[in-house]
Amino acid sequence: QKLVVDSVVWAMKHTERNISDTGLNILHELLNNVAKTPDIAQGFYQQYLLALIQDVFAVMTDRLHKSGFKMHATLLRQMFHLVQMNQVTVPLFDPANAPAGQTNPSFLREHISNLLSQSFPNLTKSQVSKFVDGMFDLNMDLPSFKTHLRDFLIQLKEFSTEDNSG
């Protein structure tokens, strides 16, 4: 299983567009097939979901992978909604080090907020919080979700090119 996931991630991160697109499509199929098999799904989610979310974020924020944006949005929405709708029943966190009452949605919110804050120190806490809230919004259809991601990417670009010395 690890070899398959690693291969899909390798393809997804590839700079050759057709290889990257194939990797994204395979990941989408893999997630759909895993979801249909509950006895396999939970172990798969526990082992790979966090890393896959981070990998999709990494390619989405890489300018070389702009062409895959539609599939990035589809995959992120699917993975975040799995967690938000409590379809991931195994902990995505280490229960021994987690606060009492920790849930997967609250853990993922905090994890993604920290990841984004560390990766993009130019963003304010409020910007990160607003973005993460939108990632978990179950009322957001795919076009609205894509707009939410696109707005975030524009914010990243605007703030990273801005001269703050003045």
Side-chain angles (χ1 to χ4, degrees), residues 31-103:
L31 288 171
N32 288 338
N33 289 334
V34 163
K36 293 177 194 168
T37 322
D39 53 324
I40 292 173
Q42 297 309 313
F44 180 87
Y45 296 148
Q46 192 170 39
Q47 186 76 32
Y48 301 108
L49 194 64
L50 277 182
L52 287 171
I53 289 172
Q54 288 176 212
D55 288 330
V56 174
F57 263 120
V59 293
M60 184 186 78
T61 56
D62 180 346
R63 291 198 174 118
L64 295 173
H65 291 94
K66 273 194 238 181
S67 64
F69 179 74
K70 188 175 181 180
M71 188 53 85
H72 300 153
T74 301
L75 290 165
L76 286 172
R77 182 174 178 267
Q78 182 178 11
M79 291 186 284
F80 273 87
H81 286 191
L82 276 172
V83 174
Q84 185 63 12
M85 296 184 322
N86 293 315
Q87 291 180 347
V88 179
T89 56
V90 292
L92 294 173
F93 49 89
D94 177 2
N97 297 328
Q102 176 80 286
T103 64

